[in-house]
Amino acid sequence: MQNTNTKESNNLSSPSGDRGNKILCIGEALIDMICTDKGSSLSDGNNFLKKAGGAPTNVAAAIAALGGNVELAAKVGVDPFGKHLIEVMNDFGVSTKWMLQDEHYFTTFAFVSLMENGERDFYFNRGADGQLSRQEVEAIDLDEFSIIHFGSATGFLPGPLQAAYQGLLQKALLKDIFISFDPNYRHLLFKNDTQAFIDQSWNFLDCCHFFKLSDEEAILITGAATLADAVTILLEKTDGVFAITLGKEGTMLGFNNTTIIIPSIEVKPVDTTGAGDAFVGAVLYQLSDKNFAQIKAMSETHWKAIVMNANKAGARTCEYMGAMEAFKHLNNSIFK
C-alpha cells in the first residue's frame, strides 16, 4: 500500500511528561463478512466479502492514513483472520505492538446483509476481541501517549474488555491524557440491555475531553425526545467538546456551552461505512501535534476548523465501498 503522507515532528510535551504525539486506540478488531447477494438474508446468502473492521480499528487506520502516529490495542485469534487484521494495520502504518493474539479464542466475526427494506440482517460471533484483559492493558506504557481513544461498540459488552476499558480510563485520567470517546451504539448488540450501554456511556461522557455521537445516539443516551433537548442535556451535564454528526447536513459542534452546525462537502455517496470513524480519526490527527494544555486552550475558531476538516475526511470516505478501501485514498492533502 502506498502512503505519501509525511509525519508531523514528534517534539511536543504534555503537562505530565514528554509524550510526543502518539495516539492509542483501544477496542475491537474484527472481520466483517458482508453478504454481497442484494436483499438476501444471511441464511439465504451465498456470497460474502471479507473486510477488516471494528470501530477503533477503523479510527486507527484513518489516523495512520492521514500521517498520524498511532497504536491499536486489541485482541485477535491465532488464525488466518487475526493474521489478516494485523497485516492490514501494518500496511496502514499502525503500530500493532498491542494487537495481541489469543490461542484459545477465534477472531471475532460480524456477518451483515442489507435487506430490501433497508434493514440489516446481523449476526455477531464474538471471539478474541472481548478477551483483551485489564492486566494486559496495564502493561501499556501510557507515558508514550498524548491521546487515548475509546470506541465502545463491543467494549461495553460483558467480559474482560469491559474491565480493561474501565481500568484504562481511570489510569488515563490520573495521567492527564486527552481522552476521546465514541459510543458506537449497535442495537443488535445491546437490544436486551440498552440501559447498561447508556450507563456505561455516561461513565465516559462525564470525564472525557472530546466525544462524537450520531444524532440517534445523542437522543438514546440522554433519554430526550428530540435532538434539541438532547443537546441541552449534553451541554448541561458534560464538560468536553462534542461533535454530533448529522449526515449530509454536516456536524454540530458543542463548545463552551454553545453549539454551531458546520456544513460538510458534497459528495456522491457509495457506502457510508467508516465515515464516522474517519471523522474521529481526522479530529484526533489534528489534535496530536498539541499538548494537553494547548488543546484545552483552543478557541471555538480553531475547533471549527478541525471539524470542517474532519467533515471532509468523513465525506470522502463515503465515496468508496468499505472503510479500509476508502482509507487507502485518505491523506492530509484534503485539509488544504
Side-chain angles (χ1 to χ4, degrees), residues 24-30 53-58 60 71-77 82 85-86 89 94-102 108 128-133 136-137 140 154 161 164-165 168:
L24 175 66
C25 297
I26 179 173
E28 79 274 6
L30 53 80
T57 301
N58 288 342
E71 291 193 13
L72 176 63
K75 185 168 274 193
V76 298
L85 283 163
I86 292 172
M89 289 296 99
V94 176
S95 171
T96 57
K97 176 182 178 181
W98 293 106
M99 283 189 75
L100 308 179
Q101 293 183 276
D102 194 317
T108 297
D129 90 280
Q131 299 304 311
L132 184 67
S133 71
E136 288 165 333
V137 170
I140 300 173
T154 69
L161 180 59
Y165 257 55
L168 185 60

Side-chain angles (χ1 to χ4, degrees), residues 49-240:
L49 190 62
K50 176 186 73 178
K51 293 286 187 181
T57 301
N58 288 342
V59 171
I63 292 169
L66 290 167
N69 188 1
V70 58
E71 291 193 13
L72 176 63
K75 185 168 274 193
V76 298
V78 182
D79 53 57
F81 302 101
K83 181 174 181 285
H84 173 70
L85 283 163
I86 292 172
E87 288 175 348
V88 169
M89 289 296 99
N90 282 331
D91 285 346
F92 274 103
V94 176
S95 171
T96 57
K97 176 182 178 181
W98 293 106
M99 283 189 75
L100 308 179
Q101 293 183 276
D102 194 317
E103 61 183 7
H104 301 294
Y105 290 85
F106 203 75
T107 298
T108 297
F109 274 74
F111 295 85
V112 184
S113 182
L114 187 62
M115 306 298 288
E116 293 288 0
N117 61 3
E119 293 296 318
R120 289 180 182 268
D121 191 13
F122 178 88
Y123 185 80
F124 190 62
N125 188 6
R126 196 176 198 196
D129 90 280
Q131 299 304 311
L132 184 67
S133 71
R134 185 167 186 162
Q135 291 75 21
E136 288 165 333
V137 170
E138 283 286 332
I140 300 173
D141 182 4
L142 295 191
D143 289 335
E144 296 180 9
F145 300 95
S146 59
I147 296 172
I148 297 179
H149 174 68
F150 296 84
S152 77
T154 69
F156 288 168
L157 293 172
L161 180 59
Q162 186 185 81
Y165 257 55
Q166 298 301 326
L168 185 60
L169 174 64
Q170 297 308 314
K171 192 173 177 181
L173 288 169
L174 290 173
K175 286 182 170 288
D176 282 337
I177 296 174
F178 187 89
I179 297 166
S180 166
F181 172 59
D182 183 353
N184 278 300
Y185 178 68
R186 298 292 182 266
H187 173 69
L188 293 162
L189 294 180
F190 292 95
K191 59 184 178 181
N192 296 322
D193 200 0
T194 304
Q195 191 59 48
F197 172 86
I198 293 170
D199 292 343
Q200 290 180 84
S201 292
W202 274 111
N203 188 40
F204 279 78
L205 294 176
D206 284 340
C207 57
C208 68
H209 306 107
F210 169 78
F211 60 91
K212 191 275 290 181
L213 305 173
S214 67
D215 48 357
E216 294 92 347
E217 288 168 341
I219 291 171
L220 172 72
I221 291 171
T222 60
T226 67
L227 180 60
D229 290 341
V231 170
T232 298
I233 292 170
L234 291 170
L235 289 173
E236 289 176 351
K237 290 191 172 183
T238 67
D239 294 324

